[in-house]
Amino acid sequence: MKEKATSISDLIAKKPINQTVVVKGWVRTFRNNQFIALSDGSTIQTLQVVVDFENTAPEVLKKITTGAAIGARGTLIESQGRGQSVELKAAEIFIFGEADPEKYPLQPKKHSLEFLREIAHLRFRTNTFGAVFRVRHQLAFAIHRFFHERGFYYMHTPIITASDAEGAGEMFRVTTLDLHHPPKTETGGIDFKKDFFERETNLTVSGQLEAELGAMALGKVYTFGPTFRAENSNTSRHLAEFWMIEPEVAFNDLDDNMDLAEAMLQFVIKDALDNCAEDLDFLSDRLAQEDKSKPQDQRSEMSLIERLHFIVNNTFERLTYTEAIDVLMQSTPNKKKKFSYVIEEWGADLQSEHERYLVEKHFKKPVILTDYPKEIKAFYMRVNEDDKTVRAMDILFPGIGEIVGGSQREERLAVLQARMREMHIPEAELYWYLDTRRFGTCPHAGFGLGFERLVQFVTGMGNIRDVIAFPRYPGNASF
């Protein structure tokens, strides 16, 4: 069967009734030796293919099992069945690939997400993961469109790097040295001069520092690429390999930065609402069913769709860290010590429970916190006149807390050097970064958005491992 297939999504949308069409996809179910529910990945809906079983060879019928890849040629007709507008009256069925019904793990029943993680190479075929990855695609496309339409340049920053942008040290090493017999220096250390790059190198944790270099010439740039962190964390919010969106804009201050981030988040979420309605409705229903099994006090106050409109339709509340600390210290959960981490003084590092309280209980809208204590933020953030706080910003969403982190960058060479000394970051390693402050420095700002965190928020999935195709985390690097 060499004819070009029409996608199921097109057939449902355009309904070319009484025309001969070809479809190709995978069998979800086959009942009564007559009715195939066929999926091709273009939509969450399946197409009912009605088999002419009297004129179909028995050996073909035997191969139409759940998971098999087939093609069908026939006439599209209006469906008399419930829940479908059209169906295909098949004149011919062609088997591309069989699926052993005894061994195929995705039987037509409900499977746990934990089980599906064990067969991540097949989980795309389920309704849930088909929906998640169609939404993920739409969000990625919308991000590129948002920046392109605003004159940004897409910049590919290094995956292999010799710098640690965050100063955290949790990086994966890149080397070609023989780990069993590494070359040694005269003092007994490993001689990285014999390595491929003739120095220690790692997988990047961020493209921000390099993006700043681009912004100092191109004005407005953004990165969208993989980043890596060797953090030994098994929580539902952490991955060892994840994707980051990091814009940097010359001559922007913190207010401009907040405006850009708010506009971007509202743009891409609205785009998903506009273009992924069926998938989001399915995921919203799925989340509602999941919520019913939880204790009353742990259930979501808003449906998934309501939560997305909550972001799109609300102006984000903006306040300083100091103002937020005052709100939290005076809050009932803090006074009654219901927070797991009670806020007792200025300078505390806010936890997810505090961030969610501000968004969901106090302001009832998305929140942007600014001007954090400099001790709990990175070296590159611009120091305020009080010398206690920096021009940082975090955007907080319902359900997950922080989704974006950014700042106005420290453009003053002397102040930046002082901050690096305070935080024990060697200037010699970042001479190239400091050069942007030596030669034509200017105010500039940027932020980072963890793409999987965004996909997790938009799809309502509870575990970040379920919004990336092949999750990497401690003890797992399958496929």
Side-chain angles (χ1 to χ4, degrees), residues 24 80 86 140 154 249 261 301 313 329 359 363 431-432 438 440:
K24 299 174 183 178
Q80 302 303 309
V86 294
Y154 179 29
V249 186
E301 293 185 6
N313 298 329
M329 288 182 71
V359 174
F363 291 107
Y431 74 90
W432 48 272
R438 292 189 179 101

Side-chain angles (χ1 to χ4, degrees), residues 165-359:
E166 302 296 328
E170 297 164 333
M171 303 180 77
F172 290 101
R173 177 161 289 166
V174 176
T175 182
T176 58
L177 295 178
D178 182 346
L179 298 183
H180 297 290
H181 304 287
K184 297 294 184 69
T185 63
E186 292 181 357
T187 57
I190 295 176
D191 186 1
F192 285 100
K193 283 288 184 183
K194 302 286 175 56
D195 208 348
F196 185 90
F197 293 108
E198 299 183 6
R199 63 183 302 178
E200 291 188 63
T201 52
N202 306 284
L203 296 178
T204 187
V205 298
S206 169
Q208 177 205 313
L209 302 189
E210 293 86 354
E212 286 188 53
L213 310 185
M216 290 300 100
L218 298 171
K220 296 188 287 189
V221 303
Y222 73 103
T223 75
F224 189 168
T227 51
F228 308 85
R229 187 157 295 176
E231 183 178 1
N232 189 15
S233 174
N234 277 292
T235 76
S236 62
R237 299 177 61 188
H238 290 91
L239 290 166
E241 175 184 298
F242 51 99
W243 288 67
M244 288 287 290
I245 299 103
E246 297 174 294
E248 290 291 331
V249 186
F251 305 105
N252 266 15
D253 62 14
L254 189 65
D255 290 328
D256 300 319
N257 206 35
M258 290 189 283
D259 291 343
L260 179 68
E262 182 173 340
M264 183 204 69
L265 288 166
Q266 291 184 325
F267 179 94
V268 300
I269 291 173
K270 184 178 186 304
D271 191 82
L273 283 166
D274 290 344
N275 292 289
C276 301
E278 284 185 340
D279 286 324
L280 290 175
D281 284 341
F282 169 83
L283 291 167
S284 187
D285 289 343
R286 178 196 160 277
L287 190 59
Q289 292 299 316
E290 193 177 81
D291 250 11
K292 289 180 181 178
S293 64
K294 296 179 181 177
Q296 189 70 37
D297 61 344
Q298 293 179 23
R299 295 179 185 177
S300 303
E301 293 185 6
M302 293 182 282
S303 72
L304 177 61
I305 303 299
E306 288 171 337
R307 201 182 304 166
L308 299 181
H309 283 292
F310 176 84
I311 303 301
V312 171
N313 298 329
N314 275 301
T315 300
F316 295 10
E317 184 74 26
R318 302 181 183 189
L319 70 157
T320 67
Y321 166 90
T322 300
E323 291 167 333
I325 286 292
D326 289 340
V327 169
L328 290 167
M329 288 182 71
Q330 298 304 316
S331 70
T332 300
N334 200 66
K335 288 181 176 179
K336 292 187 175 181
K337 301 188 184 303
K338 290 190 175 181
F339 283 142
S340 298
Y341 297 88
V342 176
I343 301 291
E344 296 179 339
E345 60 183 359
W346 188 92
D349 204 348
L350 299 186
Q351 305 297 317
S352 180
E353 60 180 343
H354 308 132
E355 296 167 343
R356 291 185 59 183
Y357 173 84
L358 292 169
V359 174

Side-chain angles (χ1 to χ4, degrees), residues 2-283:
K2 292 186 177 180
E3 297 102 318
K4 185 175 181 180
T6 302
S7 71
I8 292 174
S9 60
D10 275 354
L11 291 178
I12 292 172
K14 298 175 182 177
K15 297 182 176 62
I17 300 297
N18 296 326
Q19 292 186 26
T20 299
V21 298
V22 172
V23 292
K24 299 174 183 178
W26 295 268
V27 176
R28 284 288 180 83
T29 60
F30 183 39
R31 57 189 176 85
N32 301 335
N33 237 21
Q34 187 174 14
F35 302 107
I36 300 171
L38 191 71
S39 170
D40 69 356
S42 65
T43 172
I44 199 164
Q45 297 188 52
T46 56
L47 178 70
Q48 179 162 284
V49 177
V50 183
V51 179
D52 182 1
F53 65 92
E54 291 182 351
N55 296 306
T56 302
E59 60 268 23
V60 172
L61 289 173
K62 187 177 180 181
K63 294 177 181 177
I64 303 174
T65 60
T66 298
I70 71 166
R73 181 194 297 108
T75 305
L76 194 74
I77 61 174
E78 291 186 5
S79 177
Q80 302 303 309
R82 289 186 300 171
Q84 57 204 25
S85 58
V86 294
E87 63 187 26
L88 183 68
K89 186 177 180 181
E92 181 182 3
I93 301 290
F94 183 84
I95 308 296
F96 288 104
E98 301 175 50
D100 186 335
E102 299 298 320
K103 296 180 180 178
Y104 186 61
L106 290 175
Q107 295 302 312
K109 64 178 184 178
K110 184 177 177 61
H111 297 286
S112 72
L113 296 178
E114 290 77 15
F115 169 73
L116 293 174
R117 266 176 237 137
E118 295 174 6
I119 54 165
H121 56 300
L122 296 174
R123 64 180 180 169
F124 305 104
R125 301 187 187 191
T126 65
N127 278 335
T128 296
F129 286 94
V132 166
F133 287 104
R134 281 188 293 270
V135 172
R136 182 182 171 111
H137 159 79
Q138 191 64 41
L139 289 169
F141 183 74
I143 284 164
H144 284 298
R145 188 155 61 87
F146 174 85
F147 286 117
H148 177 72
E149 290 176 357
R150 285 155 183 77
F152 280 71
Y153 296 104
Y154 179 29
M155 185 175 173
H156 297 115
T157 51
I159 291 174
I160 299 173
T161 180
S163 67
D164 180 357
E166 302 296 328
E170 297 164 333
M171 303 180 77
F172 290 101
R173 177 161 289 166
V174 176
T175 182
T176 58
L177 295 178
D178 182 346
L179 298 183
H180 297 290
H181 304 287
K184 297 294 184 69
T185 63
E186 292 181 357
T187 57
I190 295 176
D191 186 1
F192 285 100
K193 283 288 184 183
K194 302 286 175 56
D195 208 348
F196 185 90
F197 293 108
E198 299 183 6
R199 63 183 302 178
E200 291 188 63
T201 52
N202 306 284
L203 296 178
T204 187
V205 298
S206 169
Q208 177 205 313
L209 302 189
E210 293 86 354
E212 286 188 53
L213 310 185
M216 290 300 100
L218 298 171
K220 296 188 287 189
V221 303
Y222 73 103
T223 75
F224 189 168
T227 51
F228 308 85
R229 187 157 295 176
E231 183 178 1
N232 189 15
S233 174
N234 277 292
T235 76
S236 62
R237 299 177 61 188
H238 290 91
L239 290 166
E241 175 184 298
F242 51 99
W243 288 67
M244 288 287 290
I245 299 103
E246 297 174 294
E248 290 291 331
V249 186
F251 305 105
N252 266 15
D253 62 14
L254 189 65
D255 290 328
D256 300 319
N257 206 35
M258 290 189 283
D259 291 343
L260 179 68
E262 182 173 340
M264 183 204 69
L265 288 166
Q266 291 184 325
F267 179 94
V268 300
I269 291 173
K270 184 178 186 304
D271 191 82
L273 283 166
D274 290 344
N275 292 289
C276 301
E278 284 185 340
D279 286 324
L280 290 175
D281 284 341
F282 169 83
L283 291 167

